[in-house]
Amino acid sequence: QAQLVESGGGLVQPGGSLRLSCAASGMTFSNYDMSWYRQAPGNERELVAKISWRGSTNYPDSAKGRFTISRDNAKKMVYLQMSRLEPEDTAVYYCNAVSFSLTYWGQGTQVTVSS
């Protein structure tokens, strides 16, 4: 019954901003490390942000300080604030939850950065 549902994707111009949301259900959300991944056609899925169950955040260099991940345990929500977007950020963005051996993925939301 565990489920992750992303929303907030869309078309944005270079330099613009988007806020992605991920709604979790059917799990003890506060026990999970939450992450955002992205995948463009022909590329491997890559991590763009992570927030642990304790609230610690990690960003790979690909985020370049432009992305901010946050979570609201009371609402079972995780967010990705994206700013100064570039065409290279175009991808399907996926929400991910991990707790011990359990892993869940959302269906993905398309982000297209284009003028």
Side-chain angles (χ1 to χ4, degrees):
Q1 296 293 338
Q3 187 175 11
L4 301 173
V5 180
E6 302 97 332
S7 62
L11 176 64
V12 63
Q13 294 184 347
S17 299
L18 280 177
R19 185 181 187 240
L20 306 183
S21 299
C22 173
S25 61
M27 68 178 72
T28 306
F29 180 79
S30 61
N31 291 341
Y32 285 77
D33 292 343
M34 302 298 300
S35 298
W36 287 95
Y37 288 76
R38 69 185 182 188
Q39 186 170 24
N43 294 341
E44 294 185 347
R45 190 169 298 186
E46 65 172 343
L47 177 72
V48 295
K50 177 184 177 180
I51 183 166
S52 74
W53 67 275
R54 298 184 62 176
S56 300
T57 58
N58 296 104
Y59 303 94
D61 189 63
S62 60
K64 297 184 177 180
R66 299 176 295 119
F67 298 171
T68 301
I69 189 171
S70 61
R71 66 191 297 162
D72 186 334
N73 287 345
K75 296 181 178 180
K76 293 186 175 182
M77 297 285 292
V78 63
Y79 307 96
L80 183 67
Q81 180 66 49
M82 311 167 67
S83 62
R84 292 183 284 116
L85 286 163
E86 304 168 353
E88 292 74 20
D89 296 317
T90 296
V92 178
Y93 284 71
Y94 297 91
C95 184
N96 168 262
V98 175
S99 179
F100 297 100
S101 63
L102 298 176
T103 302
Y104 300 107
W105 291 93
Q107 83 290 345
T109 184
Q110 176 71 48
V111 173
T112 302
V113 184
S114 176
S115 59

